[in-house]
Amino acid sequence: MPRPGLAMALLGLLVAGLFAAALLTGPAGLGPAEAIRALLGEGGAGAVLVMREIRLPRALLGLMIGASLGLSGAVLQGLLRNPLAEPGLIGVSGAAALGAVLALYTGLSAAFPLALPLMGLAGAFAAVAALLALAGPGSMLTLILAGVAIGAVASALSALVLNLAPNPFAALEIVFWMLGSLSDRSMTHVALAGPFILAGWAMLGGLGRGLDALTLGEDAAASMGVRLGRLRLLAICGTAAAIGAATAVAGVIGFVGLVVPHLMRPLVGAMPSRLLPASALGGAAMLLAADLAVRLIAPGRDIKLGVVTALVGAPFFLWLVLATRRRLA
Amino acid sequence: MTLLALSGVTVRRAGRAVVQDAALTVAPGEVVGLIGPNAAGKSTLLRAALGLIAAEGSIRLGREEIARLSPPARARRAAFLPQGREIAWPVSVRALVGLAARDGAAVDRALAATGTSALADRPATSLSGGEQALVLLARALAQEAPLLVADEPLAGLDPAHQLAALGIFRARAAAGQGVLLALHELGLAARHCDRVALIHRGRILAAGAPAEVITAARLAEVYGIEAEIIPHPAGMIVLPRRRARP
């Protein structure tokens, strides 16, 4: 029997612990007391710089992006009533990646570093506009199909850009960026992505009750008083804002949005209104943990975050498949 | 005052009228059956009556035109049990029944009325088809709206579960609420509904007391069958014998 209250409290503690660990981990060799003082602006200028300009933005982005992935994954699974739905499904992350790849390819990002996240955001906006125009007011099916089509176009164009890369180093830079990472991000990235991510959370956070009703299908939900058109619009725009901004600053981070809701269901139950906040916390915990693993396991090799989440997430998913099979047998 | 009043209702799909100029009322205290062959427009008419799809004509829930009511206001006036028994997630029966309930007491009443209180803590997806049907009915009851609309609520149920559901509909009518059911089983419709409406190719051909609407001649015309109508103390028995020769 799930114990939602206890599970949420433990998840909250886990996220707080991982956030603190993220602030205390790094090659600068600061002790905990020194790190906290530096975070508050005391102590040596170097330590203050490390804490405020390197570790804090990285930890904040891990928290925000992880929560966005978990939350929007849970929302989309509830909206589409499909356990395989994930934030990448609506094509926005692919389009944001394309925008960023173009910034790298054209050299804009070398001349003006913020061009990369800004073009990523532009790609995400274009994708949302195309998605809403293509899907129309009608069904969830046209929405998914339009999202898949936009994602396919974006990934094809990204591949084309890669194909046309002027030299192997440019190609490598693009590929590495696409693998997803939180290293070397600044507070400017936080300021750039933060408002969109918070706006996305505001749109997604209140959808729980409507998604609960959708458990019984669209007709039943509408007859229970759910405004389906509004629900759909908020779910898509909220996901697009949060995931578009997240991808624009961190690249494509897969598997978190897919796996986290599955991990949370045994803990808090399958009702979307319970699952949404739990998945936000679970996503934050998973991404913070993955980013810690990146720094602790192979500090010198710069293993990309998206690689770690897929490496960890896929076996988790397999385990879930086996657990489900045992339960059904 | 009627709970539901349709007049001149037409529903178009891809330019074709799938329901045409339909009129139907449901008053407090009555169970009304909507019968007709597959694809006659039963589900479409029910969905239009609840404002789930666009329709021309006048649809009133209580005193108000449905177009002027917000979705939550509609939900307070009418509860709907759709045809498919879709339950997407393994949520507990209690949580599922409470989806549109005002409070826990309403959930308890609905569970008790359907005899599903013992299932309250089970995952709804682990129940048998009959149990799921009763639990989904409890979900609609827990909305505690004066009108209950159910699309094929008896399909796929054994006689015990059918009688349980029919008993619930009758009890609601006795309590002064209204029930509108789409049904395929003509004998059940004849015995358990106060009035029936026969819909064929989108038009309501006849409406009234079951004995007046369900006649051998109409069944031949609408279903293309030769049927015997057998009087019985508990109501009439409809016995389809063979398909009529064209």
Side-chain angles (χ1 to χ4, degrees), chain A residues 1 77-83 209 211-220 222-227 262 265 269-272 327, chain B residues 47 50 52 70-72 74-76 78-82 84 86-92 95-96 98-101 121 136 139 143:
Chain A
M1 202 58 214
Q77 290 183 7
L79 181 74
L80 304 172
R81 282 166 283 147
N82 189 326
R209 294 299 300 272
L211 295 174
D212 285 352
L214 259 185
T215 300
L216 299 183
E218 293 186 31
D219 271 359
S223 76
M224 285 184 240
V226 175
R227 294 174 169 90
H262 290 277
R265 279 192 191 96
M271 206 55 118
R327 211 181 54 232
Chain B
R47 296 176 74 221
L50 292 157
L52 299 175
S70 68
R74 293 173 191 174
R76 282 192 294 276
F80 181 42
L81 181 59
E86 177 184 358
I87 302 173
W89 309 110
V91 298
S92 78
L96 187 147
L99 279 175
D121 293 326
L136 290 171
R139 201 291 303 154
Q143 209 168 319

Side-chain angles (χ1 to χ4, degrees), chain A residues 195-303:
Chain A
F196 292 101
I197 288 179
L198 292 179
W201 291 359
M203 285 186 257
L204 299 177
L207 300 182
R209 294 299 300 272
L211 295 174
D212 285 352
L214 259 185
T215 300
L216 299 183
E218 293 186 31
D219 271 359
S223 76
M224 285 184 240
V226 175
R227 294 174 169 90
L228 286 180
R230 182 173 167 274
L231 176 69
R232 195 158 31 208
L233 192 68
L234 283 176
I236 294 306
C237 292
T239 299
I243 298 305
T247 309
V249 295
V252 181
I253 296 167
F255 253 96
V256 177
L258 176 64
V259 176
V260 163
H262 290 277
L263 291 175
M264 294 301 123
R265 279 192 191 96
L267 299 180
V268 299
M271 206 55 118
S273 56
R274 288 257 176 78
L275 194 60
L276 261 48
S279 294
L281 288 176
M286 187 167 172
L287 204 62
L288 284 167
D291 195 39
L292 273 173
V294 164
R295 282 181 277 177
L296 290 175
I297 294 170
R301 295 300 310 268
D302 190 24
I303 301 290

Side-chain angles (χ1 to χ4, degrees), chain A residues 165-195:
Chain A
N167 58 63
F169 299 105
L172 203 61
E173 193 187 8
I174 292 174
V175 170
F176 272 180
W177 185 85
M178 285 170 77
L179 291 177
S181 171
L182 292 178
S183 62
D184 304 326
R185 302 308 194 261
S186 67
M187 284 310 276
T188 314
H189 288 92
V190 176
L192 202 63

Side-chain angles (χ1 to χ4, degrees), chain B residues 55-196:
Chain B
E56 302 157 28
S58 164
I59 300 169
R60 279 184 297 140
L61 280 178
R63 290 193 181 81
E64 310 275 348
E65 281 291 329
I66 199 162
R68 287 203 213 106
L69 294 171
S70 68
R74 293 173 191 174
R76 282 192 294 276
R77 286 168 166 79
F80 181 42
L81 181 59
Q83 188 172 6
R85 294 190 191 124
E86 177 184 358
I87 302 173
W89 309 110
V91 298
S92 78
V93 166
R94 171 170 289 281
L96 187 147
V97 171
L99 279 175
R102 197 182 314 115
D103 50 30
V107 175
D108 289 331
R109 282 192 291 276
L111 289 170
T114 51
T116 51
S117 302
L119 306 175
D121 293 326
R122 298 255 307 269
T125 43
S126 73
L127 305 178
S128 72
E131 289 169 335
Q132 280 187 2
L134 288 180
V135 163
L136 290 171
L137 175 56
R139 201 291 303 154
L141 293 182
Q143 209 168 319
E144 300 199 329
L147 175 69
L148 172 66
V149 178
D151 193 354
E152 297 283 357
L154 308 179
L157 297 187
D158 66 28
H161 284 96
Q162 287 190 342
L163 289 173
L166 286 163
I168 292 160
F169 299 140
R170 181 48 63 196
R172 278 183 58 93
Q177 299 176 326
V179 180
L180 174 60
L181 310 171
L183 294 174
H184 261 307
E185 175 57 50
L186 298 171
L188 287 174
R191 289 191 296 279
H192 294 277
C193 294
D194 301 305
R195 290 191 300 121
V196 294

Side-chain angles (χ1 to χ4, degrees), chain A:
Chain A
M1 202 58 214
R3 302 265 309 270
L6 182 66
M8 289 297 288
L10 290 177
L11 277 169
L13 282 176
L14 179 66
V15 170
L18 286 166
F19 186 79
L23 286 176
L24 296 176
T25 305
L30 299 173
E34 199 183 356
I36 292 167
R37 270 203 310 280
L39 196 60
L40 298 171
E42 294 163 24
V48 171
L49 189 74
V50 164
M51 288 309 294
R52 287 190 163 179
E53 290 302 319
I54 297 174
R55 291 191 190 173
L56 184 61
R58 185 169 188 161
L60 281 175
L61 285 175
L63 182 78
M64 293 196 302
I65 293 171
S68 299
L69 290 167
L71 177 63
S72 54
V75 165
L76 288 178
Q77 290 183 7
L79 181 74
L80 304 172
R81 282 166 283 147
N82 189 326
L84 288 178
E86 51 107 15
L89 194 67
I90 60 169
V92 173
S93 47
L98 173 63
V101 164
L102 280 171
L104 288 168
Y105 173 76
T106 54
L108 261 178
S109 63
F112 170 51
L114 279 185
L116 197 149
L118 285 173
M119 283 192 63
L121 278 175
F125 277 125
V128 180
L131 185 65
L132 293 177
L134 277 172
S139 74
M140 305 277 184
L141 182 65
T142 53
L143 192 70
I144 310 174
L145 292 176
V148 170
I150 290 167
V153 169
S155 82
L157 289 176
S158 294
L160 178 67
V161 172
L162 200 57
N163 197 167
L164 297 177
N167 58 63
F169 299 105
L172 203 61
E173 193 187 8
I174 292 174
V175 170
F176 272 180
W177 185 85
M178 285 170 77
L179 291 177
S181 171
L182 292 178
S183 62
D184 304 326
R185 302 308 194 261
S186 67
M187 284 310 276
T188 314
H189 288 92
V190 176
L192 202 63
F196 292 101
I197 288 179
L198 292 179
W201 291 359
M203 285 186 257
L204 299 177
L207 300 182
R209 294 299 300 272
L211 295 174
D212 285 352
L214 259 185
T215 300
L216 299 183
E218 293 186 31
D219 271 359
S223 76
M224 285 184 240
V226 175
R227 294 174 169 90
L228 286 180
R230 182 173 167 274
L231 176 69
R232 195 158 31 208
L233 192 68
L234 283 176
I236 294 306
C237 292
T239 299
I243 298 305
T247 309
V249 295
V252 181
I253 296 167
F255 253 96
V256 177
L258 176 64
V259 176
V260 163
H262 290 277
L263 291 175
M264 294 301 123
R265 279 192 191 96
L267 299 180
V268 299
M271 206 55 118
S273 56
R274 288 257 176 78
L275 194 60
L276 261 48
S279 294
L281 288 176
M286 187 167 172
L287 204 62
L288 284 167
D291 195 39
L292 273 173
V294 164
R295 282 181 277 177
L296 290 175
I297 294 170
R301 295 300 310 268
D302 190 24
I303 301 290
K304 296 296 180 190
L305 186 56
V307 178
V308 174
T309 57
L311 272 177
V312 177
F316 254 133
F317 207 62
L318 273 178
W319 170 75
L320 276 167
V321 171
L322 292 177
T324 308
R325 205 177 75 176
R326 265 200 304 278
R327 211 181 54 232
L328 293 179

